[in-house]
DNA sequence: ACAAGATAGTTTCGTTTGAAACTGTTGCAA
DNA sequence: TTGCAACAGTTTCAAACGAAACTATCTTGT
């Protein structure tokens, strides 16, 4: 009997991997391209960064939130939020007031200056988003929405236990 | 006659923007969740970073490329590639040889050690990808592929002139 | 009522990042 | 040929990042 011939599928050739077909890679590149573009948009027009934009976005409705609330809603970590808030205090975009029931929590509100930015920036943001999905039909847009939601849920489930929820993000 | 009632669509209320429905935000969060997970995977198992993984991925076929080639194929900028290569030289994952026709270009090849990592890592990467898209049907996977391709093309077209092509990415 | 632990937020520290400046090499034009 | 722009890759620098340590406040159990 001849020795067992190692079959090709066993170990020899690992399925080839083309980076440009690899989903994590593609998501990363796409998210980066998009983030860079909008970051430059916000930066040149309003002098704010993406973390600051996110904070403006969640406070723009006039709500008053604590830093922790903001971190949860923006998927940024508390360090990032803390730093962004301190920048925004310097540039008079935000108001901080100690809560009286719990003095650990600081209640944050946008200043009129920030609200003005909000009013101007939201249409720009939506316009960019519209341009980005320009080539998609309404049905495709709905499908994309669907798929992203499901992928995010799956990614969260597969995420390292250290960050099971409230994932931090580079920018956007 | 009562005075004209300002219509809601005029100026008063800018279309509300919910971060969790905003595509750039969603892409950023998803890409980050995924990147973090795979980064930890590569880090704990092989002690390599994502830039290093990408370089291994493009050189894994046995090809010999220059740093510039790698930058183009991995969508990383040349600084990032340069740094990753220098790490890989230290850890004996890569071989650098000066080209004789053009001494500016260095020809890079993986060492057997890196090839062994490649052989082990590719199935892991594909397995993660498979798990991520677990809940998707084949048709949905094809649609996702389609949509991502089109979004990337659109995002490139809308990108700031500074980076019209060969976009750099944080990780993945 | 008070020690122990949880929670809110900030600061520190070492690492990573990208833009810009720099070094060295090649190709081209006068 | 030689001078200059383009190119490959590295280094520098200031900013941004995240983990972990820290401060301050609140909650809970005994």
């Amino acid at each position: 009997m001849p020795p067992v011939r190692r079959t090709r599928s066993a170990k020899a050739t690992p399925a080839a991997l083309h980076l440009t077909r690899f989903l994590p890679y593609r998501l990363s590149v796409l998210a980066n391209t998009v983030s860079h573009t909008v970051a430059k948009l916000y930066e040149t027009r309003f002098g704010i960064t993406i973390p600051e934009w996110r904070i403006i976005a969640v406070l723009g409705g006039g709500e008053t939130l604590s830093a922790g609330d903001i971190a949860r809603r923006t998927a940024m970590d508390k360090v990032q939020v803390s730093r962004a808030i301190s920048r925004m205090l310097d540039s008079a975009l935000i108001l901080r007031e100690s809560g009286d029931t719990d003095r650990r929590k600081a209640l944050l509100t946008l200043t009129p200056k920030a609200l003005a930015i909000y009013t101007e920036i939201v249409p720009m943001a939506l316009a960019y988003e519209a341009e980005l999905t320009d080539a998609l039909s309404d049905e495709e847009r709905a499908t994309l929405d669907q798929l992203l939601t499901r992928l995010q849920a799956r990614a969260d489930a597969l995420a390292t236990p250290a960050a099971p929820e409230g994932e931090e993000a580079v920018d956007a």
Side-chain angles (χ1 to χ4, degrees), chain A residues 1 14 16 27 48 75 78 80 94 111 132 138 145 164 168:
Chain A
M1 275 303 178
L27 288 173
I48 63 172
K78 60 181 183 169
Q80 212 173 353
I94 215 169
T111 62
L132 188 59
D138 283 356
D145 186 341
E168 69 290 338

Side-chain angles (χ1 to χ4, degrees), chain A residues 14-63:
Chain A
L17 186 145
H18 283 283
L19 223 37
T20 54
R21 292 259 151 247
F22 186 51
L23 188 53
Y25 170 82
R26 297 177 72 187
L27 288 173
S28 171
V29 174
L30 177 58
N32 257 270
T33 308
V34 168
S35 283
H36 265 241
T37 303
V38 304
K40 186 138 297 180
L41 213 68
Y42 302 160
E43 214 289 320
T44 61
R45 187 82 179 76
F46 306 103
I48 63 172
T49 64
I50 295 231
E52 292 167 39
W53 143 246
R54 286 189 182 178
I55 292 176
I56 290 180
V58 295
L59 290 179
E63 245 180 318

Side-chain angles (χ1 to χ4, degrees), chain A residues 22-171:
Chain A
F22 186 51
L23 188 53
Y25 170 82
R26 297 177 72 187
L27 288 173
S28 171
V29 174
L30 177 58
N32 257 270
T33 308
V34 168
S35 283
H36 265 241
T37 303
V38 304
K40 186 138 297 180
L41 213 68
Y42 302 160
E43 214 289 320
T44 61
R45 187 82 179 76
F46 306 103
I48 63 172
T49 64
I50 295 231
E52 292 167 39
W53 143 246
R54 286 189 182 178
I55 292 176
I56 290 180
V58 295
L59 290 179
E63 245 180 318
T64 295
L65 300 175
S66 73
D69 297 334
I70 292 176
R72 268 180 296 281
R73 296 213 199 171
T74 57
M76 301 192 287
D77 74 63
K78 60 181 183 169
V79 178
Q80 212 173 353
V81 171
S82 172
R83 285 193 271 238
I85 288 173
S86 110
R87 280 194 302 267
M88 293 173 79
L89 285 169
D90 290 345
S91 48
L93 293 176
I94 215 169
L95 276 170
R96 177 160 55 185
E97 183 192 2
S98 272
D100 34 320
T101 74
D102 185 338
R103 268 175 317 186
R104 289 172 307 178
K105 296 189 185 179
L107 306 174
L108 302 162
T109 329
L110 294 187
T111 62
K113 181 178 171 190
L115 284 169
I117 291 180
Y118 179 76
T119 304
E120 242 192 292
I121 207 174
V122 164
M124 282 177 56
L126 293 175
Y128 174 81
E129 185 182 42
E131 278 189 289
L132 188 59
T133 60
D134 218 9
L136 307 190
S137 68
D138 283 356
E139 196 199 335
E140 284 171 330
R141 263 185 281 264
T143 304
L144 176 65
D145 186 341
Q146 257 267 338
L147 291 173
L148 288 181
T149 301
R150 287 159 68 191
L151 285 174
Q152 183 67 56
R154 194 88 186 104
D156 286 342
L158 296 173
T160 143
E165 196 256 351
E167 187 64 26
E168 69 290 338
V170 204
D171 41 30

